[in-house]
PDB file of all heavy atoms in Angstrom:
ATOM      1  N   ALA A  93    -177.065 -26.354-178.472  1.00 99.00           N
ATOM      2  CA  ALA A  93    -177.862 -26.271-177.249  1.00 99.00           C
ATOM      3  C   ALA A  93    -177.022 -25.437-176.289  1.00 99.00           C
ATOM      4  O   ALA A  93    -176.181 -25.950-175.561  1.00 99.00           O
ATOM      5  CB  ALA A  93    -178.140 -27.668-176.704  1.00 99.00           C
ATOM      6  N   GLY A  96    -179.263 -24.587-171.859  1.00 98.00           N
ATOM      7  CA  GLY A  96    -179.904 -25.628-171.059  1.00 98.00           C
ATOM      8  C   GLY A  96    -180.445 -25.093-169.748  1.00 98.00           C
ATOM      9  O   GLY A  96    -180.625 -23.875-169.573  1.00 98.00           O
ATOM     10  N   ALA A  97    -180.711 -26.022-168.833  1.00 98.00           N
ATOM     11  CA  ALA A  97    -181.305 -25.630-167.554  1.00 98.00           C
ATOM     12  C   ALA A  97    -180.455 -26.024-166.361  1.00 98.00           C
ATOM     13  O   ALA A  97    -180.677 -25.538-165.255  1.00 98.00           O
ATOM     14  CB  ALA A  97    -182.685 -26.280-167.414  1.00 98.00           C
ATOM     15  N   GLU A  98    -179.491 -26.898-166.575  1.00 98.00           N
ATOM     16  CA  GLU A  98    -178.791 -27.482-165.424  1.00 98.00           C
ATOM     17  C   GLU A  98    -177.455 -26.827-165.123  1.00 98.00           C
ATOM     18  O   GLU A  98    -177.069 -26.682-163.963  1.00 98.00           O
ATOM     19  CB  GLU A  98    -178.579 -28.988-165.660  1.00 98.00           C
ATOM     20  CG  GLU A  98    -179.849 -29.820-165.529  1.00 98.00           C
ATOM     21  CD  GLU A  98    -180.782 -29.691-166.725  1.00 98.00           C
ATOM     22  OE1 GLU A  98    -180.287 -29.519-167.854  1.00 98.00           O
ATOM     23  OE2 GLU A  98    -182.017 -29.738-166.530  1.00 98.00           O
ATOM     24  N   HIS A 130    -181.011 -24.196-179.879  1.00 99.00           N
ATOM     25  CA  HIS A 130    -181.990 -24.728-178.922  1.00 99.00           C
ATOM     26  C   HIS A 130    -181.956 -23.798-177.701  1.00 99.00           C
ATOM     27  O   HIS A 130    -180.917 -23.628-177.070  1.00 99.00           O
ATOM     28  CB  HIS A 130    -181.600 -26.164-178.562  1.00 99.00           C
ATOM     29  CG  HIS A 130    -182.361 -26.762-177.429  1.00 99.00           C
ATOM     30  ND1 HIS A 130    -183.692 -27.108-177.526  1.00 99.00           N
ATOM     31  CD2 HIS A 130    -181.988 -27.070-176.159  1.00 99.00           C
ATOM     32  CE1 HIS A 130    -184.088 -27.620-176.371  1.00 99.00           C
ATOM     33  NE2 HIS A 130    -183.084 -27.599-175.525  1.00 99.00           N
ATOM     34  N   VAL A 131    -183.110 -23.212-177.388  1.00 98.00           N
ATOM     35  CA  VAL A 131    -183.136 -22.096-176.429  1.00 98.00           C
ATOM     36  C   VAL A 131    -183.836 -22.457-175.118  1.00 98.00           C
ATOM     37  O   VAL A 131    -184.997 -22.886-175.118  1.00 98.00           O
ATOM     38  CB  VAL A 131    -183.861 -20.881-177.062  1.00 98.00           C
ATOM     39  CG1 VAL A 131    -184.019 -19.749-176.053  1.00 98.00           C
ATOM     40  CG2 VAL A 131    -183.117 -20.394-178.300  1.00 98.00           C
ATOM     41  N   HIS A 132    -183.116 -22.294-174.025  1.00 98.00           N
ATOM     42  CA  HIS A 132    -183.700 -22.191-172.679  1.00 98.00           C
ATOM     43  C   HIS A 132    -183.447 -20.755-172.230  1.00 98.00           C
ATOM     44  O   HIS A 132    -182.494 -20.127-172.695  1.00 98.00           O
ATOM     45  CB  HIS A 132    -182.977 -23.097-171.683  1.00 98.00           C
ATOM     46  CG  HIS A 132    -183.243 -24.560-171.857  1.00 98.00           C
ATOM     47  ND1 HIS A 132    -183.916 -25.316-170.926  1.00 98.00           N
ATOM     48  CD2 HIS A 132    -182.894 -25.419-172.852  1.00 98.00           C
ATOM     49  CE1 HIS A 132    -183.973 -26.582-171.328  1.00 98.00           C
ATOM     50  NE2 HIS A 132    -183.361 -26.673-172.503  1.00 98.00           N
ATOM     51  N   THR A 165    -187.125 -24.793-176.018  1.00 98.00           N
ATOM     52  CA  THR A 165    -187.344 -25.963-175.182  1.00 98.00           C
ATOM     53  C   THR A 165    -188.799 -25.996-174.736  1.00 98.00           C
ATOM     54  O   THR A 165    -189.405 -24.953-174.511  1.00 98.00           O
ATOM     55  CB  THR A 165    -186.466 -25.912-173.918  1.00 98.00           C
ATOM     56  OG1 THR A 165    -186.767 -27.060-173.106  1.00 98.00           O
ATOM     57  CG2 THR A 165    -186.718 -24.672-173.076  1.00 98.00           C
ATOM     58  N   GLY A 167    -188.978 -28.710-172.533  1.00 98.00           N
ATOM     59  CA  GLY A 167    -188.561 -29.532-171.399  1.00 98.00           C
ATOM     60  C   GLY A 167    -188.352 -28.653-170.173  1.00 98.00           C
ATOM     61  O   GLY A 167    -188.593 -29.069-169.035  1.00 98.00           O
ATOM     62  N   GLY A 168    -187.930 -27.424-170.432  1.00 98.00           N
ATOM     63  CA  GLY A 168    -187.728 -26.463-169.349  1.00 98.00           C
ATOM     64  C   GLY A 168    -186.736 -26.963-168.321  1.00 98.00           C
ATOM     65  O   GLY A 168    -185.672 -27.478-168.667  1.00 98.00           O
ATOM     66  N   THR A 189    -189.002 -28.438-178.809  1.00 98.00           N
ATOM     67  CA  THR A 189    -188.782 -29.835-178.448  1.00 98.00           C
ATOM     68  C   THR A 189    -190.022 -30.436-177.787  1.00 98.00           C
ATOM     69  O   THR A 189    -190.842 -29.720-177.218  1.00 98.00           O
ATOM     70  CB  THR A 189    -187.602 -29.947-177.458  1.00 98.00           C
ATOM     71  OG1 THR A 189    -187.857 -29.077-176.341  1.00 98.00           O
ATOM     72  CG2 THR A 189    -186.302 -29.560-178.124  1.00 98.00           C
ATOM     73  N   GLU A 226    -187.572 -35.456-178.482  1.00 99.00           N
ATOM     74  CA  GLU A 226    -186.389 -35.767-177.660  1.00 99.00           C
ATOM     75  C   GLU A 226    -186.556 -37.170-177.081  1.00 99.00           C
ATOM     76  O   GLU A 226    -187.516 -37.453-176.360  1.00 99.00           O
ATOM     77  CB  GLU A 226    -186.242 -34.758-176.515  1.00 99.00           C
ATOM     78  CG  GLU A 226    -186.188 -33.309-176.961  1.00 99.00           C
ATOM     79  CD  GLU A 226    -185.041 -33.020-177.906  1.00 99.00           C
ATOM     80  OE1 GLU A 226    -183.890 -33.343-177.563  1.00 99.00           O
ATOM     81  OE2 GLU A 226    -185.305 -32.465-178.994  1.00 99.00           O
ATOM     82  N   ARG A 305    -176.047 -32.510-182.307  1.00 99.00           N
ATOM     83  CA  ARG A 305    -176.268 -31.411-181.361  1.00 99.00           C
ATOM     84  C   ARG A 305    -175.082 -31.325-180.421  1.00 99.00           C
ATOM     85  O   ARG A 305    -174.648 -32.342-179.859  1.00 99.00           O
ATOM     86  CB  ARG A 305    -177.557 -31.657-180.573  1.00 99.00           C
ATOM     87  CG  ARG A 305    -177.779 -30.630-179.462  1.00 99.00           C
ATOM     88  CD  ARG A 305    -179.152 -30.761-178.839  1.00 99.00           C
ATOM     89  NE  ARG A 305    -179.056 -30.978-177.411  1.00 99.00           N
ATOM     90  CZ  ARG A 305    -180.086 -30.951-176.571  1.00 99.00           C
ATOM     91  NH1 ARG A 305    -181.307 -30.719-177.032  1.00 99.00           N
ATOM     92  NH2 ARG A 305    -179.917 -31.185-175.287  1.00 99.00           N
ATOM     93  N   GLU A 309    -175.286 -26.983-172.897  1.00 98.00           N
ATOM     94  CA  GLU A 309    -176.382 -27.685-172.210  1.00 98.00           C
ATOM     95  C   GLU A 309    -175.970 -29.116-171.881  1.00 98.00           C
ATOM     96  O   GLU A 309    -176.318 -29.646-170.826  1.00 98.00           O
ATOM     97  CB  GLU A 309    -177.647 -27.696-173.075  1.00 98.00           C
ATOM     98  CG  GLU A 309    -178.749 -28.599-172.505  1.00 98.00           C
ATOM     99  CD  GLU A 309    -180.133 -28.310-173.053  1.00 98.00           C
ATOM    100  OE1 GLU A 309    -180.322 -27.279-173.721  1.00 98.00           O
ATOM    101  OE2 GLU A 309    -181.039 -29.117-172.782  1.00 98.00           O
ATOM    102  N   ASP A 310    -175.226 -29.742-172.799  1.00 98.00           N
ATOM    103  CA  ASP A 310    -174.897 -31.166-172.658  1.00 98.00           C
ATOM    104  C   ASP A 310    -173.454 -31.402-172.236  1.00 98.00           C
ATOM    105  O   ASP A 310    -173.106 -32.486-171.772  1.00 98.00           O
ATOM    106  CB  ASP A 310    -175.147 -31.891-173.994  1.00 98.00           C
ATOM    107  CG  ASP A 310    -176.563 -31.656-174.518  1.00 98.00           C
ATOM    108  OD1 ASP A 310    -177.503 -31.678-173.718  1.00 98.00           O
ATOM    109  OD2 ASP A 310    -176.715 -31.457-175.740  1.00 98.00           O
TER     110      ASP A 310
HETATM  111 ZN1   ZN B 651    -182.921 -28.439-173.537  1.00 61.45          ZN
END
Side-chain angles (χ1 to χ4, degrees):
E98 287 76 33
H130 170 70
V131 175
H132 288 246
T165 177
T189 54
E226 305 301 307
R305 174 171 123 171
E309 171 161 349
D310 306 319

